[in-house]
């Protein structure tokens, strides 16, 4: 099968949703492409959870829709979706294996397939020995793993994960990252929200940044960075930085600490003269000239 | 439909494996058996007494007392009364024995009964002895006229008055139907309260554990609610059948006759049991979705419990006056019909068209309640935090 990687598969199409006076979604549009993991970013209350809930019909948008392969998502097609809600929760009294089988079957699997998949997930998450333990007997971290397995036990084509990394220890973060990477590599559409921008930068090819219910930045991370009108210039320099920076055009920001200086400058500023001058007027030990980080893009976008 | 079945199956499986189910089953079985068997153990069997005798005429009174007490017994049964006697030479000797607890009463010269203290006056044996003494005097009088003692005793223990009601003879069959209808009503009431609250806490637990969001991403709210009602209803029915089997076994053991039920009456009871359970189960489910924590759940469900109590009271009114306005209206309202209609059927006091209408309205009611409850359920399930108001849940229903 040839997967057309550029064909958008999951489309958030101009979603609007108000709760009383609160506009949770105000024209939220973006696309998730199979095989390209998308990081869904935004400050608290921006509308991430509301948008994700709209996929599953957990909230009904006032207008707009979520399309999957060109058709509105229904409960019946939702069996190909996996959802990890922000509000985690499992049946505390159920045994792990039973719970995963139940989740698999609710998503359309046969009993045998669900049991096999539950086994392999428990194995993979290192919980095989605890298959008959009750959920409530597990540590917080292990409950999180089971939550992930519950979302993915039916091998969904689309994964929607609301802050999957929050509250995870570094080992669990690695497990989670591995699972998501693998899923994207298999051509699945993966979208997750997170406040851990370094992680997003590591994992995601694409991002969508939402602010006040509206997606303000969307696209390929690398291209977004390239397209940024700013660059980041960092130098370790002993000398008069004020004098030096004053001679440079288009400096937007300067942060200095202990001989280390961060400058935000226009992308088209020529820095060759600046570097030459730095070497003349003081001691320039290191320098780096980079596109802005995802954090920079984020701050810029939601300012 | 598949998901509905899966939800129901999960409820049954988990329910069967839970300690609560095991414990409530054992407790209800024990309670029912105890309620049926205890009166037999305490009151049934033989009343044993020990009575002291002094002087002439005392032994005859005790003999008569035993004959009187056992006159209504059937052949082969254990006697109802057995009196052991001890003879004493004088009143003083007898009184000493009485005070030492050897006997519970002392009959002196066929003329006096001495008790340890007045507190046990009217204890079984005193009354029996009084009756016996009276019967003996009567015997003496009648013997002078040539009558025999056996006739006196038979006359004294017969029920010469015919008992009737304004409707005619209080025939035994009617009485049994009435008892069955009453029992069915109480069973329904119990089932509503017990299994209704299972549904209530089950729904609230799904909400408080937050598992509901994952579930609703794959399942419609009505499937989740309906599956729960069916699953827990099925479990409840199983527990109920077990309890009834235990009850029947216990009744059989006591030797009490079980009224033979006409199949139509039984079918009617089962039909209304199921209808009544469904009406209330759906409402309890909706109520459970309004609460966020288990502690709040009972409060939210208060109105439902009150409605069930009201149904019970209206059915009492229907017993008094089975064709009155209260009874007719009660038969047509889906909440109260399950309590009222079986009573009226048992009393043969409901026209067929009212019966058909009440069944139709109850079914219609269930269909409507499922929709209303589904809407409340979906509006409330994703609102965590405080207790959701009915109105807010209704308005924000999204699913
Ligand atoms: N069920 C709800 N009722 C009322 N307000 C809500 C509800 N869900 C979300 N909101 C509000 O909508 C806004 C967006 O919330 P949310 O989507 O949870 O943001 P995020 O996930 O990006 O933090 C917030 O202001 C939030 O308070
Ligand atoms: Mg959120």
């Amino acid at each position: 099968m040839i997967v057309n990687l550029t064909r958008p598969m999951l489309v958030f199409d101009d979603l609007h949703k108000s709760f009383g006076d609160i506009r949770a979604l105000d024209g939220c549009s973006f696309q998730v492409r199979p095989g390209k993991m998308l990081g869904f970013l935004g400050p608290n209350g921006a509308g991430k959870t509301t948008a994700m809930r709209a996929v599953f019909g957990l909230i009904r948008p006032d207008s707009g829709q979520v399309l999957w392969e060109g058709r509105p998502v229904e409960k019946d097609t939702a069996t190909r979706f996996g959802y990890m809600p922000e509000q985690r929760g499992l049946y505390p009294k159920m045994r792990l294996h039973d719970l995963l089988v139940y989740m698999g079957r609710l998503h359309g699997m046969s009993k045998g397939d669900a049991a096999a998949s539950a086994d392999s997930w428990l194995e993979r998450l290192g919980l095989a020995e605890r298959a008959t333990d009750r959920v409530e007997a597990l540590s917080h971290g292990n409950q999180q793993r089971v939550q992930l397995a519950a979302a993915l036990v039916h091998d969904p084509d689309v994964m929607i994960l609301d802050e999957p990394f929050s509250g995870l220890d570094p080992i669990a973060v690695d497990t989670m990252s591995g699972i998501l990477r693998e899923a994207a590599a298999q051509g699945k559409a993966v979208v997750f929200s997170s406040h851990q921008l370094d992680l997003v930068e590591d994992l995601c090819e694409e991002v969508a940044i939402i602010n006040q219910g509206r997606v303000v930045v969307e696209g390929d991370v690398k291209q977004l960075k390239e397209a940024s009108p700013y660059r980041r210039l960092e130098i370790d320099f002993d000398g008069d930085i004020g004098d030096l920076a004053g001679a440079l055009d288009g400096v937007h920001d300067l942060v200095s600490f202990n001989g280390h200086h961060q400058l935000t400058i226009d992308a088209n500023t020529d820095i060759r003269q600046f570097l030459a001058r730095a070497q003349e007027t003081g001691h320039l030990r290191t320098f780096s000239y980079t596109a802005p980080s995802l954090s920079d893009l984020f701050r810029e976008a939601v300012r | 439909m598949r998901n509905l079945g899966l939800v129901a199956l999960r409820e049954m499986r988990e329910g069967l494996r839970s300690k609560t189910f095991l414990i409530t089953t054992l407790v209800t079985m024990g309670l029912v058996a105890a309620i049926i068997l205890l009166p037999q153990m305490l009151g049934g069997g033989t009343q044993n007494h020990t009575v002291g005798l002094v002087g002439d005429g005392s032994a005859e009174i005790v003999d008569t007392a035993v004959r009187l007490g056992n006159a209504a017994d059937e052949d082969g049964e254990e006697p109802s009364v057995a009196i052991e006697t001890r003879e004493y030479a004088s009143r003083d000797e007898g009184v000493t024995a009485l005070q030492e607890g050897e006997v519970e009463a002392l009959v002196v010269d066929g003329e006096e009964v001495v008790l340890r203290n007045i507190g046990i006056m009217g204890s079984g044996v005193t009354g029996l002895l009084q009756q016996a003494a009276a019967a003996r005097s009567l015997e003496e009088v009648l013997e002078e006229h040539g009558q025999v003692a056996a006739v006196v005793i038979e006359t004294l223990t017969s029920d010469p008055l015919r008992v009737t009601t304004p409707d005619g003879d209080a025939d035994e069959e009617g009485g049994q139907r009435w008892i069955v209808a009453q029992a069915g009503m109480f069973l329904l009431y119990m089932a509503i309260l017990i299994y209704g609250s299972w549904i209530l806490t089950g729904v609230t637990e799904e909400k408080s554990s937050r598992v509901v969001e994952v579930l609703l991403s794959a399942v419609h709210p009505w499937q989740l609610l309906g599956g729960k009602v069916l699953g827990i209803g099925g479990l409840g029915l199983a527990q109920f059948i077990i309890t009834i089997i235990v009850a029947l076994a216990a009744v059989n053991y006591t030797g009490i006759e079980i009224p033979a039920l006409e199949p139509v009456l039984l079918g009617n009871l089962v039909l209304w049991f199921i209808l009544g359970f469904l009406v209330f189960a759906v409402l309890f489910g909706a109520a459970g979705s309004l609460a966020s924590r288990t502690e709040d759940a009972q409060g939210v469900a208060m109105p439902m419990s009150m409605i069930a109590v009201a149904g019970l009271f209206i059915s009492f009114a229907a017993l008094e006056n089975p064709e009155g306005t209260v009874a007719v209206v009660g038969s047509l309202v889906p909440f109260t019909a399950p309590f009222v209609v079986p009573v009226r059927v048992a009393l043969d006091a409901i026209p067929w068209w009212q019966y058909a209408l009440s069944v139709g309205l109850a079914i219609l009611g269930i269909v409507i309640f499922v929709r209303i409850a589904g809407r409340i359920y979906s509006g409330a399930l994703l609102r965590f935090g405080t207790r959701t108001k009915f109105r807010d849940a209704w308005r924000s229903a999204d699913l």
Side-chain angles (χ1 to χ4, degrees), chain B residues 2 9 45 71 123 138 151 221 228 239 242 334 339 380:
Chain B
R2 183 174 183 274
L9 260 175
S123 80
L138 196 59
V151 178
K228 226 176 184 62
Q239 196 181 59
I242 294 173
F339 295 102

Side-chain angles (χ1 to χ4, degrees), chain A residues 201 225 232 290-299:
Chain A
E201 204 158 1
K225 286 179 174 181
R232 175 195 283 252
T290 55
S293 69
L294 188 56
S295 307
D296 295 330
L297 289 183
F298 181 80
R299 283 194 196 90

Side-chain angles (χ1 to χ4, degrees), chain A residues 90 96 127 130 133-144 146:
Chain A
L90 301 165
L96 300 193
L127 293 170
R130 313 205 58 177
D133 284 4
R134 291 177 196 276
V135 169
E136 64 190 356
L138 297 183
S139 68
H140 177 71
N142 278 338
Q143 288 192 17
Q144 296 268 17
V146 178

Side-chain angles (χ1 to χ4, degrees), chain A residues 17 53 56-60 75 83 85 87-91 94-95 98 102 105-109, chain B residues 2-3 6-7 10 13-14 17 206 209-211 213-220 382 397-399:
Chain A
K17 176 73 185 178
R53 282 179 168 173
F56 297 94
L58 293 166
I59 62 111
R60 188 168 46 212
K75 273 263 162 26
Y83 180 42
Q87 304 272 11
R88 306 292 148 75
L90 301 165
Y91 284 110
M94 263 184 110
R95 291 161 173 80
D98 292 348
Y102 180 57
R105 298 200 71 197
L106 281 186
H107 286 90
M109 292 180 110
Chain B
R2 183 174 183 274
N3 283 344
L6 285 172
V7 173
R10 192 204 80 89
R13 259 174 67 99
E14 294 297 313
R17 297 170 106 185
E206 271 172 4
S209 71
R210 307 287 160 99
V211 70
E213 192 167 354
V214 188
L215 297 177
L216 287 182
S217 74
V219 173
H220 291 284
L382 290 179
D398 268 336
L399 292 151

